[in-house]
C-alpha cells in the first residue's frame, strides 16, 4: 500500500453483531458453550477445521485483539487478505467496484493532481450514468439526474489505492428505491431484496455495458447496437460512453480493468466473470459514437460564451445549485447576457471555467427580453 494501515485499529471498529451475521451467512456453525463473554463458531470441511472465539462486547479489554484474531481466521479460511476481510466486515452489505488504471505515468506510485481529479470525477460520472441507464434507459440523459440517482451515488464511498498502478475502489452500499427515496438495506434484510437491489443492478450493468462496448466494437457493430437498444434494458447512453472514454483510456498506452467484488453474504444475481478490460484502442470509436448521439439528441439551441458572474450560497455544504451569468453572441450578432441555473456539478465546473477564462456551451431554451434566462439542459466547458 502507499501508506501504512493499522489493521488492529480497524478491526476494533467491526461490530460483533455484524460479524455474527456474517459468519452465519457464510456457513459457520455456532457452538453452545457456558462462556459468557465470547461466542464460539466453527467451520469444517474435508481438509480443514477453523474455530473463532467472537467477543460479544466492546467493553472487553482485549476486544480489538480478539476481533483481529477472528479476522485472521476468516482470512485463512477464505484465502483472502486480512485487508480484504476487514473491508468486507466494515462494509458488510456493500458491493465494491474496483477500477484499475494501467498507465506508464503511474509506475512510480504517484499521479498528477489534475489527473487525480479527472479520474475520480469520471469514475463518479460512470457510476451515475450507469444508474441512470438502469432506472430510465435512454440514449442521452440531458440535465440534472433524478434526485434518487444523486442520493444513491452520494451514498457510495471511495476506498484507498495501490502502488504500481492506480486503483479506485468504490464501496456501494446495497440500496433500493422505495417511494422515490433511496433506502439502504441491512444484513437483516431479505436476501432476495438485496440480490435484486438497485446497487446490484447498477454494478452488474456497469460490467455488462463495458463488455458489450468492447465486443460490439470488435464485431464492427458498435453504433448499430447502441441505436438498436436505445429504449431497452440493454441501453448504453452517451453519458456512459463519455465517462468511460475520459476516465483513463483517452491517453495512449493506457488500460482500464473494472471488476466487481460482491457483498460476500449476497451471492445471488452475480456475474460469473465480474471483470472486464478495455484499452486506449477503443477510445476513438467510443468517443465518436458518443458525440454523434449527443448532437442528434440536442434539438434545443446551443449558446457559446464566457461566464461573467457566479452566484451561489457562500457555504459550499448548502449548495444544491448555482447561478451563472453568461455573455454570448445572440442571433443578431450582438453581445447579450443571460442568467443560467446549473446543477452543483455543472456549477463547480463553471467556477473553473470562469477562473481560467474558458468558453462554455449551454444548450437550452432562451426566454425574457430585458432580463434573459436560459433553461439549461446541457452544460459543457470547452477546451
Amino acid at each position: 500500500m502507499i501508506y501504512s494501515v493499522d489493521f488492529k485499529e480497524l478491526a476494533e471498529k467491526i461490530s460483533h453483531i455484524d460479524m455474527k451475521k456474517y459468519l452465519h451467512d457464510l456457513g459457520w456453525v455456532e457452538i453452545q458453550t457456558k462462556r459468557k463473554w465470547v461466542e464460539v463458531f466453527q467451520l469444517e470441511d474435508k481438509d480443514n477445521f477453523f474455530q473463532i472465539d467472537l467477543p460479544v462486547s466492546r467493553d472487553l479489554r482485549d476486544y480489538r485483539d480478539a476481533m483481529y484474531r477472528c479476522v485472521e481466521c476468516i482470512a485463512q479460511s477464505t484465502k483472502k487478505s486480512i485487508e480484504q476481510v476487514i473491508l468486507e466486515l466494515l462494509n458488510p452489505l456493500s458491493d465494491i467496484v474496483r477500477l484499475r488504471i494501467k498507465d506508464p505515468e503511474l509506475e512510480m506510485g504517484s499521479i498528477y493532481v489534475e489527473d487525480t481529479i479527472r479520474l475520480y470525477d469520471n469514475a463518479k460520472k460512470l457510476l451515475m450514468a450507469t444508474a441512470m441507464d438502469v432506472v430510465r434507459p435512454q440514449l442521452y440523459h440531458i440535465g440534472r439526474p433524478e434526485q434518487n440517482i444523486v442520493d444513491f451515488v452520494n451514498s457510495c464511498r471511495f476506498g484507498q489505492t495501490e502502488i504500481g498502478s492506480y486503483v479506485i475502489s468504490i464501496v456501494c452500499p446495497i440500496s433500493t428505491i422505495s417511494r422515490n427515496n433511496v433506502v439502504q438495506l441491512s444484513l437483516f434484510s431479505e436476501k432476495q431484496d438485496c440480490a435484486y437491489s438497485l446497487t446490484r443492478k447498477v454494478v452488474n450493468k456497469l460490467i455488462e455495458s463495458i463488455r458489450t462496448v468492447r465486443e460490439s466494437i470488435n464485431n464492427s457493430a458498435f453504433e448499430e447496437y447502441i441505436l438498436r437498444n436505445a429504449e431497452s434494458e440493454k441501453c448504453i447512453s452517451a453519458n456512459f460512453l463519455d465517462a468511460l472514454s475520459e476516465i483513463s483510456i483517452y491517453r495512449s498506452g493506457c488500460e482500464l480493468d473494472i471488476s466487481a467484488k460482491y457483498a460476500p453474504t449476497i451471492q445471488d444475481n452475480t456475474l460469473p466473470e465480474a471483470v472486464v478490460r478495455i484499452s486506449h484502442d477503443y477510445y476513438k470509436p467510443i468517443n465518436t459514437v458518443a458525440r454523434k448521439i449527443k448532437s442528434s439528441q440536442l434539438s434545443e439551441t446551443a449558446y457559446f460564451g464566457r461566464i461573467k458572474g457566479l452566484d451561489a450560497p457562500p457555504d459550499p455544504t448548502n449548495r444544491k445549485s448555482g447561478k451563472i451569468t453568461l455573455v454570448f453572441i445572440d442571433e443578431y450578432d450582438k453581445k447579450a447576457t443571460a442568467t443560467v441555473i446549473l446543477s452543483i456539478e455543472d456549477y463547480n465546473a463553471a467556477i473553473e471555467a470562469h477562473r481560467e477564462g474558458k468558453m462554455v456551451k449551454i444548450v437550452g431554451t432562451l426566454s425574457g427580453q430585458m432580463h434573459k434566462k436560459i433553461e439549461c439542459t446541457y452544460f459543457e466547458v470547452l477546451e
Side-chain angles (χ1 to χ4, degrees), residues 82-147:
I82 289 176
E83 177 185 6
Q84 186 176 344
V85 172
I86 288 178
L87 182 61
E88 290 178 354
L89 285 163
L90 289 177
N91 304 278
L93 201 67
S94 298
D95 288 344
I96 301 174
V97 176
R98 188 172 180 268
L99 295 83
R100 182 171 182 262
I101 296 97
K102 294 182 179 179
D103 187 338
E105 296 287 334
L106 303 178
E107 290 179 354
M108 298 304 294
S110 61
I111 183 172
Y112 291 111
V113 171
E114 184 177 349
D115 286 344
T116 303
I117 295 171
R118 181 177 188 139
L119 286 173
Y120 279 89
D121 185 45
N122 282 290
K124 179 181 178 181
K125 288 179 180 178
L126 191 67
L127 192 65
M128 183 81 73
T130 307
M132 289 190 292
D133 288 356
V134 168
V135 173
R136 196 178 300 278
Q138 59 188 55
L139 268 181
Y140 187 33
H141 304 282
I142 300 175
R144 179 177 172 80
E146 298 175 22
Q147 188 59 46

Side-chain angles (χ1 to χ4, degrees), residues 260-280:
K261 293 183 178 179
Y262 297 104
T265 58
I266 309 295
Q267 289 301 307
D268 289 344
N269 192 27
T270 59
L271 298 177
E273 294 183 15
V275 61
V276 65
R277 171 176 294 178
I278 196 161
S279 69
H280 174 72

Side-chain angles (χ1 to χ4, degrees), residues 71-346:
V71 170
E72 284 185 312
C73 189
I74 294 171
Q76 184 181 0
S77 69
T78 58
K79 298 181 180 178
K80 296 179 180 179
S81 68
I82 289 176
E83 177 185 6
Q84 186 176 344
V85 172
I86 288 178
L87 182 61
E88 290 178 354
L89 285 163
L90 289 177
N91 304 278
L93 201 67
S94 298
D95 288 344
I96 301 174
V97 176
R98 188 172 180 268
L99 295 83
R100 182 171 182 262
I101 296 97
K102 294 182 179 179
D103 187 338
E105 296 287 334
L106 303 178
E107 290 179 354
M108 298 304 294
S110 61
I111 183 172
Y112 291 111
V113 171
E114 184 177 349
D115 286 344
T116 303
I117 295 171
R118 181 177 188 139
L119 286 173
Y120 279 89
D121 185 45
N122 282 290
K124 179 181 178 181
K125 288 179 180 178
L126 191 67
L127 192 65
M128 183 81 73
T130 307
M132 289 190 292
D133 288 356
V134 168
V135 173
R136 196 178 300 278
Q138 59 188 55
L139 268 181
Y140 187 33
H141 304 282
I142 300 175
R144 179 177 172 80
E146 298 175 22
Q147 188 59 46
N148 50 28
I149 299 299
V150 174
D151 292 342
F152 164 71
V153 173
N154 287 343
S155 72
C156 301
R157 301 182 301 281
F158 286 117
Q160 48 191 356
T161 186
E162 302 169 11
I163 199 166
S165 59
Y166 204 82
V167 177
I168 299 173
S169 295
I170 309 176
V171 180
C172 306
I174 299 293
S175 305
T176 190
I177 294 178
S178 176
R179 296 181 181 178
N180 223 23
N181 293 315
V182 174
V183 178
Q184 189 168 323
L185 302 179
S186 76
L187 279 171
F188 303 96
S189 300
E190 292 292 332
K191 287 192 175 182
Q192 281 296 98
D193 292 341
C194 297
Y196 293 90
S197 62
L198 172 63
T199 300
R200 184 59 56 84
K201 290 176 181 177
V202 169
V203 170
N204 284 347
K205 175 71 171 175
L206 177 57
I207 300 296
E208 289 173 334
S209 292
I210 298 174
R211 183 177 291 126
T212 298
V213 166
R214 189 189 63 191
E215 291 176 356
S216 60
I217 291 175
N218 289 341
N219 295 330
S220 302
F222 179 42
E223 185 173 354
E224 177 187 348
Y225 178 91
I226 297 295
L227 297 176
R228 186 174 67 249
N229 294 284
E231 301 294 333
S232 74
E233 293 182 355
K234 297 179 181 179
C235 174
I236 301 174
S237 65
N239 310 70
F240 181 90
L241 299 177
D242 260 347
L244 178 60
S245 65
E246 293 300 317
I247 197 169
S248 176
I249 61 172
Y250 63 91
R251 193 153 51 202
S252 179
C254 293
E255 287 183 342
L256 175 66
D257 289 345
I258 298 186
S259 58
K261 293 183 178 179
Y262 297 104
T265 58
I266 309 295
Q267 289 301 307
D268 289 344
N269 192 27
T270 59
L271 298 177
E273 294 183 15
V275 61
V276 65
R277 171 176 294 178
I278 196 161
S279 69
H280 174 72
D281 295 334
Y282 296 87
Y283 172 73
K284 285 186 179 179
I286 292 173
N287 189 257
T288 299
V289 170
R291 289 182 179 276
K292 187 178 293 187
I293 292 172
K294 287 191 295 183
S295 63
S296 69
Q297 294 290 306
L298 295 173
S299 58
E300 297 153 302
T301 304
Y303 299 91
F304 299 86
R306 285 190 168 85
I307 297 169
K308 179 182 178 181
L310 300 159
D311 184 21
D315 183 0
T317 61
N318 291 331
R319 290 177 187 166
K320 304 293 184 182
S321 61
K323 182 169 70 174
I324 68 169
T325 302
L326 179 72
V327 179
F328 63 101
I329 302 300
D330 65 15
E331 56 184 317
Y332 304 106
D333 290 331
K334 292 184 178 180
K335 181 179 175 182
T337 61
T339 58
V340 188
I341 303 296
L342 298 176
S343 68
I344 190 60
E345 291 83 3
D346 287 343

